[in-house]
């Protein structure tokens, strides 16, 4: 009975939906509909961001409201472990899917899944991350909510049967709305989407992104007012004489970002080598608990610690029985801050690698603020330069975002919007630019894209490379060539020529192995030598092509071989086995069609 009801429900819903889609196509112009849909996605993403932040706050308050978070409590040893345990149970036995790193999943979906995200991503990351972070996991909620917003956009676009480029646009709208909703920063949401998700930078894309970001910000501001994650009023004016210190900060955060990226990859790889998920959970939870016990600022997202630095109370990061006696010693303060910078990466990796769900956005901002405070403290101690520590914390956040995420503009605009003005624009630009240039010398890919790039699954801002990445080599193989046996004669070749409209003839044995090929231009003078028909063998006329394609090659490699060889057709050979040919004309035709589907240009 249940199956009959389910079939009836799905069939009826599908017919109703098809009628709605047909009515929409007939009555609402495409561009107007995109604007309307981007508004809806922005509102839903803003609500999702609001729900997640309040859910995390509720769990955290219920757990830690009765003891000082900055104090010393052995509950730090078990809370993170409990949170990760509940998260793992939820993911393994309810969702039954890998939630992983949210932004990386979006990039993978854009590159390999036609921007299709699973429906459960509209809620699963919110539930999982609230359990992880609420219990003290040292990660951020931004990546999960970005994945949630992107999934809302992807699934709504698919429901209304939009094509790939518009599904991708709606994914971007959801991501922009999520960032804008969390931080009350619409420009940062748009820039993040363009920089990190690498959408096509055209005006046709910018308008829906703007609508989504503004609508999400409106929802956030309406319900939360100024009570967002971060808010800081810049008091100290910027003096051009201090620009050299911001250059130093940019170099420092660039190398710190390199450490962040390399250490994260290495630690997650070590945790992944633990085959038992239970043992991996216990190890990660125990490591995280010890670190949070020693350094309470590592508990949760870390925004409360950032606000302390902003408000000139950075030494309160040492408010624990272990370090409280060190607050009057500048050298010991610097030592503790260095420990926080070092172990934040370990705590974050232990959280995610053991099964917790969260992102690197908040850890990046946390480390940037601490790094700026740390460096300003050192310079003031050595040179008595009188540098404003909270301003350096702000610039440090921009530098770390530029280095870790390879998103210098996002770093600049997010931190500028946090201050409520752009009076600090120059040092933000200097710091983020220097940090980005520094890390690019050593690490061409961000922490989001490194693994995808290693597997060849990354679409980039380079439109030509992006289109080639989307093309599937195996779908372009042509097989309508007359195949000859190595023992065939000239008579057989002439017969094949009379039946074929091609000028290439592959020579393949009974096991499918390619021995060579014959080109019509090379044998046309022999076609009329009838007395040689039975004495000349094909194996005496064939040659093995110097250039050929493997089915494992990507389209970028295939295009390079066409350009290098100057050939119009290249054989596709898989470990000696003949599969067919790929022609330059077919590749070019497919390239133009894919470019048209991919871009608004």
């Amino acid at each position: 009975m249940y199956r009959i009801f389910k079939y009836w429900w799905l069939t009826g819903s599908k017919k109703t939906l098809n009628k709605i889609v047909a009515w929409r196509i007939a009555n609402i112009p495409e561009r107007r509909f995109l604007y309307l849909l981007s508004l809806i996605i922005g509102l839903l993403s803003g609500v999702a961001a609001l729900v997640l932040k309040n859910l995390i706050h509720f769990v955290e308050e219920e757990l830690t409201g009765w003891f000082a978070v900055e104090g010393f409590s052995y509950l730090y040893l078990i809370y993170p472990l409990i949170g990760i345990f509940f998260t793992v149970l939820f993911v393994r036995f309810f969702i039954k899917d890998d939630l992983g790193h949210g932004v990386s999943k979006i990039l993978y979906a854009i590159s390999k899944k036609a921007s299709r995200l699973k429906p459960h991503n509209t809620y699963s990351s919110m539930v999982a991350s609230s359990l992880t972070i609420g219990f003290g996991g040292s990660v951020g909620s931004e990546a999960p909510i970005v994945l949630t917003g992107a999934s809302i956009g992807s699934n709504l676009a698919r429901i209304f049967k939009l094509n790939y480029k518009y599904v991708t646009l709606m994914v971007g709208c959801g991501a922009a709305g999520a960032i804008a909703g969390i931080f009350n920063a619409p420009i940062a949401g748009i820039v993040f989407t363009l920089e990190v998700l690498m959408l096509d930078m055209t005006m046709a894309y910018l308008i829906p992104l703007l609508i989504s970001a503004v609508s999400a910000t409106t929802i956030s501001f309406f319900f939360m007012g100024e009570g967002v994650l971060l808010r800081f009023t810049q008091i100290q004016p910027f003096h051009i004489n201090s620009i050299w210190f911001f250059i130093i900060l940019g170099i420092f955060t660039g190398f710190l970002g390199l450490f962040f990226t390399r250490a994260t990859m290495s630690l997650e790889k070590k945790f992944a080598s633990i085959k038992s998920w239970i043992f991996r959970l216990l190890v990660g939870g125990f490591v995280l608990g010890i670190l949070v016990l020693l350094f309470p600022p590592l508990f949760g997202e870390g925004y409360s610690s950032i606000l302390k630095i902003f408000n000139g109370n950075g030494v309160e990061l040492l408010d624990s029985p272990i370090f409280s006696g060190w607050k009057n010693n500048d050298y010991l303060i610097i030592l503790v801050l260095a420990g926080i910078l070092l172990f934040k990466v370990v705590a974050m990796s232990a959280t995610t690698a053991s099964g917790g769900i969260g992102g690197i956005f908040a850890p990046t901002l946390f480390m940037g603020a601490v790094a700026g405070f740390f460096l300003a403290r050192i310079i003031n101690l050595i040179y008595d330069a009188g540098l404003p520590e909270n301003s350096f914390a702000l610039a440090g956040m921009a530098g770390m975002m530029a280095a870790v995420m390879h998103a210098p503009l996002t770093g600049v605009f997010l931190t500028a919007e946090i201050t409520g003005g752009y009076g600090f624009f120059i040092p933000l630009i200097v710091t983020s630019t220097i940090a980005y240039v520094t890390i690019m010398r050593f690490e061409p890919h961000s922490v989001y894209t490194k693994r995808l790039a290693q597997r060849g699954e990354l679409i980039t801002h380079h439109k030509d490379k992006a289109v080639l990445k989307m093309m599937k080599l195996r779908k372009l193989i042509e097989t309508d060539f007359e195949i000859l046996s190595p023992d065939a004669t000239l008579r057989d070749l002439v017969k094949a020529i009379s039946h074929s409209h091609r000028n290439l003839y592959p020579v393949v044995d009974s096991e499918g192995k390619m021995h060579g090929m014959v080109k019509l231009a090379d044998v046309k003078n022999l076609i009329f030598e009838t007395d040689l028909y039975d004495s000349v063998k094909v194996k005496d006329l064939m040659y093995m092509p110097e250039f050929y394609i493997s089915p494992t090659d990507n389209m970028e490699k295939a295009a390079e071989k066409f350009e290098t060889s100057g050939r119009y057709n290249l054989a596709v050979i898989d470990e000696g086995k003949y599969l067919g040919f790929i022609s330059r004309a077919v590749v070019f035709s497919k390239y133009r069609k894919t470019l048209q589907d991919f871009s608004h240009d």
Side-chain angles (χ1 to χ4, degrees):
M1 188 70 181
Y2 169 75
R3 290 182 178 179
I4 295 174
F5 175 77
K6 183 179 180 182
Y7 173 78
W8 172 82
W9 173 260
L10 291 176
T11 304
S13 299
K14 190 173 182 179
K15 288 181 178 178
T16 303
L17 184 60
N18 288 337
K19 290 180 180 179
I20 294 174
V21 171
W23 180 88
R24 189 273 300 175
I25 293 173
N27 294 277
I28 305 178
E30 186 176 73
R31 178 159 296 189
R32 189 181 302 172
F33 179 73
L34 291 176
Y35 293 164
L36 175 62
L37 192 58
S38 64
L39 173 64
I40 295 170
I41 291 170
L43 294 173
L44 292 176
S45 297
V47 171
L50 187 69
V51 170
L52 178 58
K53 294 310 299 179
N54 281 281
L55 189 58
I56 292 173
H57 180 73
F58 172 77
V59 174
E60 193 174 85
E61 283 295 309
E62 288 297 315
L63 293 173
T64 62
W66 53 280
F67 73 90
V69 176
E70 295 82 3
F72 185 89
S73 174
Y74 286 106
L75 290 173
Y76 283 135
L77 286 172
I78 61 171
Y79 268 2
L81 178 61
I82 294 172
I84 297 173
F85 176 70
F86 284 147
T87 302
V88 171
L89 291 182
F90 173 72
V91 173
R92 289 183 65 90
F93 300 106
F94 185 79
I95 299 300
K96 298 179 181 179
D97 190 20
D98 175 33
L99 296 184
H101 295 285
V103 176
S104 296
K105 287 189 75 67
I106 298 171
L107 289 169
Y108 178 77
I110 293 173
S111 177
K112 291 294 183 180
K113 298 292 184 180
S115 295
R116 294 174 179 268
L117 290 163
K118 295 181 180 179
H120 73 73
N121 288 128
T122 57
Y123 67 88
S124 56
S125 293
M126 294 174 60
V127 175
S129 62
S130 64
L131 291 172
T132 299
I133 300 168
F135 278 85
S138 196
V139 288
S141 60
E142 294 78 17
I145 199 60
V146 167
L147 177 59
T148 299
S151 181
I152 291 171
S154 173
N155 284 280
L156 282 178
R158 287 162 54 195
I159 286 174
F160 287 101
K161 302 186 185 306
L162 300 184
N163 59 27
Y164 168 77
K165 65 182 178 183
Y166 291 136
V167 175
T168 304
L169 174 58
M170 294 303 114
V171 167
C173 287
I179 293 294
I182 289 177
F183 293 105
N184 266 7
I187 297 176
I190 296 169
V191 174
F192 172 84
T193 302
L194 295 175
E195 270 194 309
V196 177
L197 299 187
M198 296 175 273
L199 294 186
D200 193 15
M201 293 191 204
T202 62
M203 188 57 66
Y205 265 36
L206 287 176
I207 298 302
L209 291 176
L210 182 60
I211 293 172
S212 184
V214 170
S215 59
T217 304
T218 302
I219 288 290
S220 176
F221 192 82
F222 182 79
F223 286 100
M224 298 178 66
E226 295 293 330
V228 290
L229 289 179
L230 293 174
R231 184 59 59 188
F232 170 58
T233 302
Q234 178 65 29
I235 300 174
Q236 298 89 347
F238 166 68
H239 298 290
I240 194 66
N241 294 336
S242 62
I243 194 168
W244 301 107
F245 297 114
F246 288 102
I247 292 175
I248 295 172
L249 178 60
I251 296 172
F252 178 62
T253 51
F255 281 109
L256 188 61
L258 180 64
F259 162 73
F260 186 105
T261 302
R262 298 278 176 85
T264 299
M265 295 294 175
S266 176
L267 289 169
E268 290 189 351
K269 186 176 181 181
K270 291 184 183 299
F271 273 100
S273 65
I274 303 175
K275 301 304 179 184
S276 170
W277 67 270
I278 298 178
F279 186 57
R280 186 166 60 247
L281 185 154
L282 292 173
V283 171
F286 179 74
V287 169
L288 177 59
I290 290 293
L291 291 176
V292 171
L293 184 66
L294 296 175
F295 300 97
L298 300 184
F299 185 92
E301 295 176 288
Y303 287 120
S304 60
S305 297
I306 296 176
L307 289 173
K308 287 177 182 177
I309 296 173
F310 281 175
N311 295 324
N313 302 316
V315 292
E316 292 184 10
L317 297 182
L318 279 70
D319 276 347
S320 72
I322 298 177
F323 302 119
S324 59
W326 297 12
K327 293 168 64 175
N328 296 321
N329 188 314
D330 288 328
Y331 295 99
L332 294 179
I333 291 174
I334 291 171
L335 181 63
V336 174
L337 292 175
I340 291 174
L341 287 174
L342 176 66
F343 290 113
K344 177 62 177 181
V345 178
V346 181
M348 180 193 70
S349 300
T351 303
T352 56
S354 59
I357 300 299
I360 59 103
F361 206 110
T364 300
L365 294 177
F366 173 85
M367 287 188 66
V370 175
F373 177 52
F374 171 80
L375 185 63
R377 198 86 182 181
I378 292 177
I379 295 174
N380 287 336
L381 180 63
I382 296 175
Y383 296 107
D384 192 23
L387 299 178
E389 294 170 346
N390 50 11
S391 296
F392 267 69
L394 192 71
M397 290 165 56
M400 278 298 288
M401 291 179 70
V404 173
M405 303 178 189
H406 286 203
L409 290 177
T410 302
V412 169
F413 283 102
L414 177 61
T415 47
E417 287 185 285
I418 286 172
T419 65
Y422 293 89
F424 205 55
F425 219 46
I426 293 176
L428 292 178
I429 293 174
V430 170
T431 304
S432 61
T433 301
I434 296 297
Y436 180 73
V437 171
T438 300
I439 196 171
M440 285 297 290
R441 175 66 179 81
F442 304 95
E443 185 58 71
H445 297 289
S446 72
V447 71
Y448 290 136
T449 62
K450 189 172 177 64
R451 289 194 183 92
L452 295 176
Q454 288 172 344
R455 299 196 301 261
E457 298 171 347
L458 178 66
I459 285 183
T460 70
H461 275 310
H462 193 300
K463 191 176 293 187
D464 181 60
K465 291 183 178 180
V467 172
L468 289 174
K469 188 78 66 179
M470 296 173 65
M471 295 168 61
K472 307 299 181 184
L473 187 144
R474 286 186 178 271
K475 293 184 178 181
L476 302 179
I477 298 176
E478 300 174 77
T479 57
D480 57 336
F481 289 80
E482 293 288 335
I483 298 175
L484 298 170
S485 167
D487 297 324
T489 63
L490 179 59
R491 184 183 299 278
D492 299 320
L493 174 59
V494 172
K495 186 177 181 180
I497 291 172
S498 67
H499 293 156
S500 176
H501 63 282
R502 301 285 191 171
N503 61 356
L504 292 175
Y505 302 90
V507 181
V508 181
D509 63 20
S510 58
E511 296 180 353
K513 184 176 181 180
M514 186 172 185
H515 289 257
M517 64 183 187
V518 178
K519 187 187 295 185
L520 178 59
D522 295 339
V523 299
K524 61 182 181 180
N525 294 330
L526 296 177
I527 292 176
F528 304 102
E529 301 290 340
T530 56
D531 55 326
L532 300 177
Y533 275 17
D534 297 313
S535 59
V536 175
K537 300 290 186 179
V538 166
K539 61 185 177 182
D540 298 323
L541 303 173
M542 70 181 185
Y543 69 94
M544 194 62 187
E546 178 184 357
F547 298 95
Y548 61 89
I549 294 175
S550 167
T552 59
D553 289 341
N554 55 38
M555 284 307 304
E556 193 173 351
K557 186 80 173 287
E560 182 182 326
K561 288 182 178 180
F562 272 116
E563 184 176 355
T564 303
S565 66
R567 303 285 193 272
Y568 290 94
N569 293 278
L570 292 176
V572 183
I573 303 175
D574 184 14
E575 297 182 352
K577 297 274 181 88
Y578 166 77
L579 298 182
F581 281 84
I582 287 184
S583 72
R584 185 190 292 257
V586 169
V587 169
F588 181 70
S589 176
K590 181 63 176 177
Y591 174 88
R592 292 194 62 184
K593 177 65 169 61
T594 306
L595 179 62
Q596 188 178 28
D597 293 339
F598 172 74
S599 174
H600 286 272
D601 291 348

